[in-house]
């Protein structure tokens, strides 16, 4: 023991020294002297601040000396120490010096006296109550020293002795936070004891009640205890007590007691039996009604929140209103790989219910009676996904395929061998727009397949622009071209009511005075632009003109019946409604859609106003949940009427999603103005519900409609953080505002009570779906409105845009539009080559032309990420533009672009997959030519380039991100991955070119939406078959990226606080091009070292210590939200406790502290 040196002649230290010497003797005989000395010390501490510091400071051994005296002498005076120790931070010193153990020893000794001294017990427990919350091992120490029973006995024998009971219950409360203690205390009947203490409403003993309930709540975290209490019928007792306090505590002075009762209920209902007992005791109605009474009083929020948590847990699991969760459409694959997702999906024996599990979730009720001392286990989970295999981290750059096999891809790179010696080429290029121009394909290579050569820029024949000439050969690369025969007479095919509201009043422009009859008749035809060639539909939507009263217009309605399309030619140079319809005709959808959605037909002009992130209204989630709970409480109010089913037409609000990219499976009217909507699974799948795009008509003005999408799957959504849904009003479009706008109020996203089958969750039972709810007030009667998850961008739109872009080509632009391959669904996958024509035919210029570095871009592998297409549109428009930057860019690079990697998924309204039922961005390691043709051939192109030593300088795959804000990149860095994974210290001397950071860094400097802080360069195991990782690892592209654009908005930069729109997305695509030009200035220098220096400059001086933000692509946003969205049944401490009850003593703070920190 270090001795106490009275350096400054301090009296207190001298006394301590004396005490220490006495302790040092074998037995402390002179108890009286020791008492005197300690009494003097005590006096000094109490009277002199300085002395107190000297004894209690961390460096001093004073506390130890005193404690060892206490240990031996059992000083009765010790409780005077209470006042000293009780002062704030000194408790910590006391604990660190072993004070807790001493107290327990004293407690044991004191309990041997018969009867034990009441005063001593009171003081000991008061002191323990102070110490407990500060000692992480308090529970274990208490159990090992045998203190648990002593406290329990004191309680048992002093049920009427409030003064003594209070500190004992406080201590019991701390004991109970240890799970082993809780179980053993439960066995001793402590919970029954507590029920003898708490009772109906009373103004007396409220502190005691509160502490007793706290202790009970802690005990009930043990499932064994919860079961014990349920078995003895105490759930209804708790409910009765709660109701009694709720009714009588009219001035809300005892909110903490009411909360304490709810916490007990919350913990009991963590077990299935508890939930059952709760329902049987009419708990739903009791909590629902009491909560409604609490709602107007803001300070009662904690009661409402806890009640709502209990009710959500106990709400019986419901099944989705479907017969099967398999997509409503099936696509027959050419071959179904055994063991693959489609084989699994369709191999379930008939009669198996895939909507909900047969039995209610069997939860593991067994409880392990062990303590988990390691409470930081979950710390490691975050890094589990980081690639730690150094071999895998090093790009291997082996193609793994014979060159013979790749040679056929040469034809997609004719620019690399172009000699421009064919004289008519230049002349025809200069005669722009007059006739189709065919850029000659390489040297008439024998491998050249007719039909793959392409290009053209005729404005007369749209179709020839977008599609290669038909071909019959059937090599894997060879495609059926778009069927042009259907597109003979364009305009007549789309017969849409005239818009000049007088001669032929179409529903859109009908004045409000128009009668309901007309409305009814007219609203239907409005629902769609129909493709004529589905002749059988003439009398239905297809024949809009005649139904709209343009007499005898019939099919030939032609000019007269053509809808007055908002004139957007100036604003939307790439849009043309007629051309769009043409394109749709060549698009093959699995459901054979015959309609065109108005927004796609009219086009979208970004609105001029700002669209800020939606501010959350207080209590919105709660009120929505209450409305859901009301369905159970007042079942008679529920209509439960199916109003839309892909298979059956309907009445009431009308829904429709049967057009390209549409997704809505079913709509059920639950209340007069409330609809449950069910999304369709991706084709050949039974999940991936997120993307939606549907039409609503037949609405009324002046009422609020609530829509609930009830089968969402992700556990959180940007809809909780300011994002709104998109709506497109046809009335507004006709009125000159053809735009998608962010809309909807009372938006929130939360876990609901619809059960998810374990078949769709990969075996996990007891999972629920999530609800996205939003409310809408329509501003036009007889409108047709569209709702979408994000700005739609269909495959036909892409074809239209490409066609228009080709038409805009100038002679200086070298543009080739090849068909890379055909998809499973029979659609073509476009491949674009964009660069500048060589300056002249001189060999120098030709050489410069051929040797430009390549940039390889792709997008929209995930169909639900439409924002990726808008970014790509921005890129393409910039590349084809006339600005000096665009000219320089084309002169600098050859661009190879696959703008839509998953056309089938886009067309059919999938969210994530292709028709093979698989995520195509997980197939890059080993793509199957038959099942994943677009990936297979895109990868082959890259392999070909690697073979001929022309691997691209940059590869970037455009994506959208549903859970984060801003635009950012994922790249690949060995070093940053190693740093994250802590594989070993030695690996940190890895040499790595920092070039992968240059492009994102430039972007963060020039693109307002881009955020470097959100970017990451870590290679994850789960991403090893993504484009980014495979192109980096196998093709050897150092700058291989995924660029993620938010679906929501920005929280930094110029657009901070705003939702993102197509303007910003397109700007991002253009800025990406500008960044490439800057990159060119850096990489153009042949001196490699110089290049590195420059790049390092750009990256900034901190490059060596640059921190990586490691974020999983599917990461949750790390916002601190007061609201619990998940309502998992085991979320302890879900709601932060707050101080609002006047009659509760200061102990509350400490106790609630201990709730969080005390896990031993
Ligand atoms: Zn994606």
């Amino acid at each position: 023991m270090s001795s106490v040196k009275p350096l400054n002649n301090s009296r207190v230290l001298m006394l301590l020294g004396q005490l220490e010497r006495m302790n040092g003797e074998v037995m402390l005989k002179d108890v009286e002297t020791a008492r005197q000395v300690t009494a003097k010390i005590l006096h000094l501490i109490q009277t002199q601040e300085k002395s107190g510091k000297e004894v209690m400071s961390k460096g001093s051994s004073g506390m130890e000396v005193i404690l060892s005296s206490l240990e031996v002498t059992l000083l009765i005076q010790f409780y005077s120490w209470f006042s000293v120790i009780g002062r704030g931070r000194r408790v910590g010193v006391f604990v660190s010096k072993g004070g807790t153990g001493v107290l327990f020893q004293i407690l044991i000794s004191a309990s041997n006296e018969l009867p034990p001294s009441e005063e001593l017990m009171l003081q000991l427990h008061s002191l323990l109550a102070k110490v407990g919350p500060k000692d992480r091992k308090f529970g274990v120490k208490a159990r090992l020293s045998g203190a648990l029973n002593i406290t329990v006995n004191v309680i048992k024998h002093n049920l009427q002795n409030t003064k003594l009971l209070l500190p004992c219950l406080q201590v019991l409360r701390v004991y109970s936070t240890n799970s082993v203690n809780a179980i053993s205390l439960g066995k001793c009947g402590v919970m029954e004891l507590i029920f003898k203490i708490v009772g109906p409403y009373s103004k007396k003993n409220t502190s005691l009640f509160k502490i007793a309930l706290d202790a009970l709540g802690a005990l009930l975290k043990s499932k064994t205890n919860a079961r014990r209490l349920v078995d003895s019928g105490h759930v209804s007792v708790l409910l009765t007590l709660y109701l009694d306090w709720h009714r009588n505590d009219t001035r809300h002075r005892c909110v903490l007691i009411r909360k304490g009762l709810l916490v007990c209920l919350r913990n009991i209902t963590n077990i299935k039996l508890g939930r059952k007992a709760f329902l049987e005791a009419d708990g739903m109605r009791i909590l629902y009604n009491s909560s409604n009474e609490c709602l107007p009083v803001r300070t009662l929020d904690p009661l409402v929140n806890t009640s709502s948590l209990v009710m959500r847990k106990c709400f019986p699991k419901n099944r989705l209103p479907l017969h099967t969760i398999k997509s409503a459409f099936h696509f027959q694959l050419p071959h179904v790989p055994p063991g693959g997702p489609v084989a699994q999906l369709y191999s379930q024996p008939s009669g198996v219910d895939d909507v909900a599990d047969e039995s209610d979730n069997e939860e593991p009720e067994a409880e392990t009676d062990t303590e988990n001392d390691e409470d930081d286990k979950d710390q490691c989970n975050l890094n589990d996904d980081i690639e730690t295999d150094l071999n895998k981290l090093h790009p291997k750059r082996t193609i793994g395929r014979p060159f013979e096999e790749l040679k056929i891809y040469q034809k997609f790179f004719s620019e690399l061998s172009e000699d421009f010696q064919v004289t008519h080429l230049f002349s025809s290029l200069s005669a722009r727009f007059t006739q189709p121009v065919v850029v000659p394909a390489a040297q008439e290579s024998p491998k050249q397949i007719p039909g793959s050569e392409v290009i053209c820029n005729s404005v007369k024949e749209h179709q020839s622009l977008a599609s290669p000439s038909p071909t019959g050969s059937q090599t894997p690369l060879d495609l059926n071209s778009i069927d042009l025969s259907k597109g003979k007479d364009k305009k007549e095919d789309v017969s849409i009511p005239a818009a000049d509201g007088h001669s032929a009043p179409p529903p859109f422009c009908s004045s409000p005075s128009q009668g309901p009859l007309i409305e009814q008749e007219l609203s239907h035809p409005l629902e769609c632009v129909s493709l004529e060639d589905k002749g059988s539909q003439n009398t239905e939507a297809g024949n809009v003109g005649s139904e709209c009263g343009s007499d005898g217009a019939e099919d030939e309605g032609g000019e007269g019946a053509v809808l007055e399309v908002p004139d957007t030619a100036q604003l939307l140079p790439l849009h043309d409604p007629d051309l769009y319809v043409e394109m749709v005709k060549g698009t093959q959808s699995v459901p054979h859609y015959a309609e065109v959605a108005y927004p796609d037909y009219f086009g979208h002009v970004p609105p001029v106003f700002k669209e800020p992130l939606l501010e959350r209204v207080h209590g919105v989630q709660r009120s929505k949940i209450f409305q859901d709970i009301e369905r159970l409480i007042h079942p008679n109010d529920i209509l439960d009427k199916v109003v839309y089913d892909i298979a059956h037409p309907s009445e009431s609000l009308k829904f429709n999603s049967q057009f390209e990219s549409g997704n809505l499976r079913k709509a059920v009217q639950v209340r007069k103005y409330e609809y449950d909507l069910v999304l369709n699974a991706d084709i050949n799948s039974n999940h991936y519900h997120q993307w939606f795009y549907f039409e609503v008509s037949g609405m009324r003005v002046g009422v609020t409609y609530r829509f609930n999408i009830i089968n969402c799957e992700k556990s959180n959504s940007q809809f909780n953080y300011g994002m709104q849904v998109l709506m497109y009003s046809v009335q507004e479009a006709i009125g000159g505002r053809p735009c998608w706008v962010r809309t909807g109020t009372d938006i929130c996203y939360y876990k609901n009570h619809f059960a998810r089958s374990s078949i769709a969750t990969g075996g996990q039972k007891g999972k629920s779906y999530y609800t996205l709810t939003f409310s809408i007030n329509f501003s036009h009667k007889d409108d047709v409105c569209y709702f979408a998850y994000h700005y739609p961008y269909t495959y036909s739109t892409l074809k239209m845009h490409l066609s228009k872009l080709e038409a805009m080509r100038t002679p200086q632009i070298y543009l080739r539009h090849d068909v890379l391959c055909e998809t499973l669904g029979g659609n073509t996958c476009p491949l674009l080559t964009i660069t500048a024509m060589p300056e002249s035919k001189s060999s120098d210029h030709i050489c410069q032309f051929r040797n430009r570095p390549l940039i390889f871009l792709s997008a929209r592998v995930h169909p639900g990420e439409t924002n990726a297409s808008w970014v790509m549109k921005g890129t393409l428009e910039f590349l084809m533009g006339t600005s000096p930057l665009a000219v320089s860019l084309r002169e600098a690079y050859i661009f190879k672009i696959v703008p839509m990697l998953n056309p089938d998924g886009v067309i059919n309204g999938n969210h994530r997959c292709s028709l093979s039922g698989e995520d195509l961005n997980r197939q890059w390691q080993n793509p199957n030519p038959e099942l994943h043709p677009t990936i297979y051939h895109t990868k082959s192109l890259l392999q070909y380039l690697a073979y001929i030593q022309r691997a691209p300088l940059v590869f970037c795959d455009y994506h959208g991100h549903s859970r984060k804000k801003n635009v950012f990149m994922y790249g690949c860095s060995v070093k940053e991955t190693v740093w994250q994974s802590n594989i070993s210290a030695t690996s940190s001397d890895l040499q790595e070119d920092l070039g992968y950071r240059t492009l994102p860094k430039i972007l963060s400097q020039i693109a307002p939406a881009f955020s470097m802080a959100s970017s990451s360069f870590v290679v994850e195991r789960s991403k090893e078959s993504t484009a980014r990782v495979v192109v980096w690892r196998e093709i050897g592209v150092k700058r291989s990226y995924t660029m993620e654009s938010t679906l929501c908005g920005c929280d930094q930069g110029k657009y901070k606080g705003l939702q993102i729109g197509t303007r910003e997305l397109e700007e991002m695509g253009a800025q990406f091009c500008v960044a490439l030009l800057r990159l060119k200035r850096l990489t153009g220098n042949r001196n490699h070292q110089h290049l590195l220096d420059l790049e390092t400059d750009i990256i900034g001086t901190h490059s060596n210590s640059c921190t990586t933000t490691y974020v999983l692509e599917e990461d949750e946003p790390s916002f601190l939200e007061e609201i619990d969205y998940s309502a998992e049944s085991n979320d302890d401490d879900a709601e932060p406790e707050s101080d609002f009850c006047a009659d509760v003593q200061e102990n509350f703070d400490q106790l609630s502290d201990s709730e969080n920190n005390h896990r031993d």
Side-chain angles (χ1 to χ4, degrees), residues 556-597:
E556 304 83 347
E559 307 302 326
V562 166
L563 176 73
E564 187 181 317
V565 176
D567 184 12
T568 55
Q570 291 294 314
L571 293 165
L572 300 175
L574 299 192
H575 192 85
D576 175 345
D578 293 343
L579 181 57
Y580 183 75
V581 172
E582 273 317 296
M583 292 306 168
V584 171
K585 287 175 185 168
T587 298
Q588 310 293 323
S589 62
V590 171
H592 301 293
Y593 291 136
E595 301 171 7
V596 173

Side-chain angles (χ1 to χ4, degrees), residues 351-416:
V352 167
D353 182 4
D354 66 353
V355 180
D357 293 324
E358 297 267 321
S359 59
D360 193 1
N361 51 315
E362 297 296 331
E363 62 189 353
E365 300 251 323
E367 190 169 34
T368 46
D369 281 17
T370 54
E371 290 164 283
N372 46 340
D373 276 303
E374 274 72 54
D375 46 358
D376 33 25
K377 266 178 194 160
D378 36 332
Q379 289 260 295
C380 341
N381 293 343
L382 184 69
N383 291 344
D384 274 0
D385 194 30
I386 298 177
E387 184 59 74
T388 51
D389 182 344
L390 280 173
N391 288 324
K392 285 192 170 179
L393 281 176
H394 284 291
K396 50 180 186 192
R397 296 168 206 231
T398 48
I399 308 306
R401 290 174 70 182
F403 186 56
E404 284 307 308
E405 207 178 302
L406 291 168
K407 259 184 177 167
I408 53 164
Y409 292 93
Q410 189 184 359
K411 69 191 162 107
F412 292 111
F413 298 97
S414 50
E415 70 279 1
L416 301 183

